[in-house]
Amino acid sequence: MNTIEEIYRKSEEFQNREVLIAGWVRNNRDQKEFGFIDLNDGTCFSSIQVVYDSSIENFKDIQKYRNGSSVEVKGELVLTPSAKQPFEIKAKEITLLGDSGEDYPIQPKRHSREFLREKLHLRARTNLFNAIFRLRSEAAYAIHTFFHSRGFIYVHTPIITSNDGEGAGELFNITTASPNPETDFFGKKVYLTVTGQLHVEAFAMAYRNVYTFGPTFRAENSNTTVHASEFWMIEPEIAFADLTDEMNLAEDLLKYVIDYVLKNCSEEMKFFDAFVEKGLIDKLTLVLNSKEFKRITHKEAIDLLLASGINFENAPGYKKDLATEHEKYLTSYFKSPVFVYDWPKDIKAFYMRMNDDNETVAASDLLVPGSGEIVGGSQREERLDLLLKRMSDLHMNEKTLDWYVDLRRYGGCKHSGFGLGFERLLMYLSGVDNIRDVEAYPRNPNNCDF
RNA sequence: GCCUAAAUAGCUCAGUUGGUUAGAGCACCUGACUGUUAAUCAGGGGGUCGUAGGUUCGAGUCCUACUUUGGGCGCCA
C-alpha cells in the first residue's frame, strides 16, 4: 500500500507506475462516461485526484460513492501538466471499503466553526482541522526536539496532586465520592494539577535543565476564546539561570518552533495564510528574523500606556496587572512579541524572586499579537529566609509545601522557568482565533461532550 | 461570573409594516453531460420557524421566561 504523502514526495519515481492507496472520498464528480474522486488518506494535507471511467466494471457504483466513504484504489500515476493538479491516478480498480450515509454532514463547502464544534469526531476530515491537528502534532514534536537538542530532561510531573494550587487558579477535586477526605481514596484532598512547575523545580536541582509538557486543568468559570478547562502546558526549569536567561530561552523556543512549522508544515501554513489569517507567514517570518524581542519593564509598559493618550476602559496603574486592552496596545505598538518584566510583587505568585527594590519581582510575561499572554515566567526565590517570609506574609500553609522549601535547604541555587500555553502557541502559529478549535476535544464550563 | 447578540430545511442564509400554501444556494435522490476542480444543467423529496407561555381576528415577525450558541469583559496559560 502506498501513501499520498509518498506519491507527492516521489512523484517522478511513481510516474506511469501502478500505485495502491486507500483513503476517504472528499468529493466525487461523475459524468456520463467518467468521473473524478478527490481522495485524502490523511498522510498529507493534499488530496489526490482519481479518474475513473466506464471501462471499470463497477463504474455505475463508483459514480455513487458519497463523500466520507472509505475506498481502496489501484491505478496508474499519470502526470497532468496542463491541469490544475500536477498528477492524478488513472484507476483500474476502485473498491468501496466503508460506505458513508446520505446524511454525512461534511460537505465540499465552507462550514461554520460552531457547527463543526458539534461534530468533533468528524471535523478532522475538513481542510482546516486537518491542518490544525497536524500543526499541533508537529509543533509538539518541535518542542521536544528543541529541548532534547539542548540536553533538557523531559520530566513527567503528576496529574493527580495534593498541591492546592498556590494561586494558579481554581482546582478540580478528585474523589471517589467519599463523604470526607480522610476516608477517600488518597486519605486527603487531592486535585487535578494546575501546573507542573513546583514538581519540576525539584528535578532542575538534580538535572539542571528540565521541562514538563503535559495536560493541565483549571476549574475557572472562564468563558473566552483563550481559556479552556483542560489544556497543555510546556514548563521548562533551568538551574543557575536568571530572568534574562529565562527570557532568552523562551524567545529561542518560540523562534525554533516557528522555523520548524514553516519548514515542515508548509502546506498547512499556506492554507492558514490564505484562509485564516492573511499575512500570517509574513508575520511569523518577521518574528523569526527579528534580532531580539522587545523587552520592557512593567513600569515602562505603564508609562507607555499612560503616554498613549488612549482612554482605556481599565486605567493602567503601576501596581496593577495589564488588562487585555493594554496587552493589545503593546503588541500592536511594537508589532512583535513583547516581554514585560519586573512586575509588582502583589499581583504575582509567592515563589517569584524579590528584586532589590523590594517592590517588584523578577517575573516576565511574553505577549504576542492575537493570543495575548502566551508565556509567563520568573526567576524563583532561592533564598530560604525570603521565601519563608513571603509564604507567611501570604498566610500560606508551610507544611504542605515543606518539600518545596527543602529545595532551598539542600543546595539551592538561582533558577528560573516559565510556562508556555501550548494551545495559545498554536493559535498564534495558525491564526485560529478560538482555543476550542486547536484542541481535539475541547473542555469548557458546561461543555464536556464526546 | 458580568454585558451583549443570535436561534428559520442536514449546512449557510433571506423572509418587507403582524396577513394567502415560509423561500434560495449547497447537500441528498432521479436524470442530462467526453476532462471535472466547492463542476455545470433540469427535476424531486425535505420545515411544529430553539422550548414554554402570552398579546392578536391572525405571530417566523410583537412581549415574557427558559435553553443553547457566538462575541466582549474579568480570572489566567
Side-chain angles (χ1 to χ4, degrees):
Chain A
M1 175 98 61
N2 304 108
T3 68
I4 295 175
E5 187 275 332
E6 69 175 337
I7 291 171
Y8 270 92
R9 184 159 40 84
K10 302 187 286 192
S11 57
E12 279 165 30
E13 266 179 57
F14 279 100
Q15 186 180 345
N16 301 326
R17 278 180 45 197
E18 187 169 281
V19 296
L20 175 66
I21 58 173
W24 294 271
V25 175
R26 284 284 182 88
N27 200 358
N28 185 0
R29 299 176 293 275
D30 72 293
Q31 298 187 46
K32 193 179 187 184
E33 301 294 334
F34 55 90
F36 306 91
I37 288 174
D38 293 336
L39 194 72
N40 187 289
D41 73 350
T43 58
C44 65
F45 181 72
S46 294
S47 301
I48 198 164
Q49 176 160 287
V50 176
V51 199
Y52 57 92
D53 62 35
S54 54
S55 67
I56 303 179
E57 61 173 336
N58 58 340
F59 174 71
K60 288 277 177 215
D61 296 329
I62 297 168
Q63 283 181 306
K64 296 197 164 67
Y65 289 173
R66 281 180 293 257
N67 296 345
S69 305
S70 57
V71 297
E72 187 175 87
V73 176
K74 190 186 277 183
E76 187 188 337
L77 189 82
V78 292
L79 300 189
T80 53
S82 57
K84 244 183 163 176
Q85 70 286 349
F87 44 76
E88 63 189 16
I89 294 173
K90 190 160 173 23
K92 293 198 176 80
E93 290 173 29
I94 301 181
T95 314
L96 183 67
L97 302 177
D99 189 18
S100 177
E102 288 173 20
D103 54 354
Y104 181 63
I106 310 296
Q107 302 164 24
K109 62 167 250 184
R110 263 184 76 104
H111 291 86
S112 68
R113 313 257 172 98
E114 293 81 8
F115 171 67
L116 292 169
R117 272 175 220 146
E118 295 169 6
K119 312 280 177 207
L120 297 182
H121 57 311
L122 298 175
R123 68 177 180 169
R125 303 189 195 188
T126 65
N127 281 332
L128 175 66
F129 288 96
N130 205 259
I132 288 170
F133 294 118
R134 192 186 314 281
L135 173 75
R136 184 172 174 121
S137 172
E138 292 294 313
Y141 180 74
I143 285 162
H144 285 301
T145 308
F146 171 83
F147 285 122
H148 189 263
S149 72
R150 292 187 173 212
F152 280 60
I153 293 292
Y154 175 31
V155 181
H156 296 109
T157 50
I159 288 168
I160 300 172
T161 175
S162 55
N163 279 354
D164 62 357
E166 81 292 324
E170 296 297 313
L171 297 132
F172 285 104
N173 290 288
I174 303 180
T175 173
T176 51
S178 173
N180 74 75
E182 274 125 56
T183 59
D184 208 340
F185 191 87
F186 291 104
K188 58 161 76 170
K189 280 191 150 186
V190 295
Y191 317 93
L192 290 176
T193 184
V194 294
T195 170
Q197 181 203 318
L198 302 188
H199 291 106
V200 89
E201 273 189 51
F203 278 70
M205 296 296 107
Y207 291 98
R208 180 163 172 164
N209 291 338
V210 298
Y211 72 105
T212 74
F213 186 174
T216 314
F217 308 88
R218 305 266 168 102
E220 238 125 54
N221 191 12
S222 297
N223 297 287
T224 80
T225 54
V226 294
H227 288 86
S229 308
E230 176 176 331
F231 64 98
W232 285 57
M233 197 154 55
I234 298 108
E235 296 177 286
E237 194 69 30
I238 47 180
F240 312 112
D242 63 15
L243 190 70
T244 302
D245 298 318
E246 181 266 316
M247 289 192 280
N248 290 344
L249 181 67
E251 179 166 340
D252 288 352
L253 173 62
L254 188 59
K255 285 179 173 172
Y256 182 91
V257 176
I258 289 173
D259 185 51
Y260 187 91
V261 300
L262 285 175
K263 283 181 180 143
N264 292 281
C265 302
S266 59
E267 275 190 287
E268 286 80 3
M269 296 306 288
K270 278 179 204 147
F271 180 83
F272 296 137
D273 192 72
F275 295 107
V276 180
E277 181 184 333
K278 300 256 185 287
L280 175 74
I281 291 175
D282 285 346
K283 175 189 87 175
L284 294 174
T285 305
L286 203 69
V287 169
L288 183 61
N289 296 331
S290 67
K291 209 163 163 236
E292 191 180 69
F293 292 172
K294 192 71 195 170
R295 300 181 184 194
I296 58 173
T297 63
H298 179 266
K299 181 181 176 304
E300 288 166 342
I302 301 298
D303 286 342
L304 212 59
L305 292 168
L306 292 174
S308 71
I310 294 171
N311 189 18
F312 291 108
E313 227 159 275
N314 304 279
Y318 291 103
K319 300 215 161 171
K320 291 189 346 198
D321 207 346
L322 296 178
T324 303
E325 55 180 337
H326 303 149
E327 296 179 356
K328 281 179 181 161
Y329 176 80
L330 292 171
T331 53
S332 68
Y333 180 85
F334 292 111
K335 292 188 177 58
S336 92
V338 187
F339 280 107
V340 178
Y341 65 100
D342 285 352
W343 287 70
K345 66 178 180 191
D346 291 334
I347 58 171
K348 287 293 182 182
F350 77 95
Y351 51 74
M352 296 185 176
R353 191 178 195 277
M354 190 67 69
N355 286 324
D356 292 342
D357 61 12
N358 258 322
E359 290 296 324
T360 62
V361 290
S364 78
D365 283 3
L366 178 61
L367 313 176
V368 298
S371 309
E373 185 187 338
I374 199 171
V375 173
S378 68
Q379 185 169 340
R380 321 305 191 189
E381 184 57 81
E382 83 281 14
R383 295 162 294 188
L384 178 62
D385 51 337
L386 287 174
L387 183 65
L388 288 173
K389 178 170 187 308
R390 189 86 180 113
M391 289 172 75
S392 103
D393 286 351
L394 294 171
H395 309 294
M396 292 176 63
N397 183 351
E398 273 171 46
K399 269 190 195 146
T400 59
L401 281 177
D402 199 46
W403 65 271
Y404 181 73
V405 178
D406 263 359
L407 302 175
R408 279 75 181 163
R409 295 190 181 105
Y410 309 125
C413 67
K414 77 173 175 182
H415 62 290
S416 304
F418 63 81
L420 165 65
F422 188 47
E423 283 76 13
R424 291 189 183 175
L425 173 67
L426 294 173
M427 292 169 72
Y428 180 62
L429 293 174
S430 65
V432 169
D433 56 12
N434 194 314
I435 198 168
R436 297 175 184 91
D437 295 331
V438 296
E439 293 195 297
Y441 297 94
R443 275 74 177 91
N444 292 93
N446 283 314
N447 172 34
C448 191
D449 293 334
F450 296 84

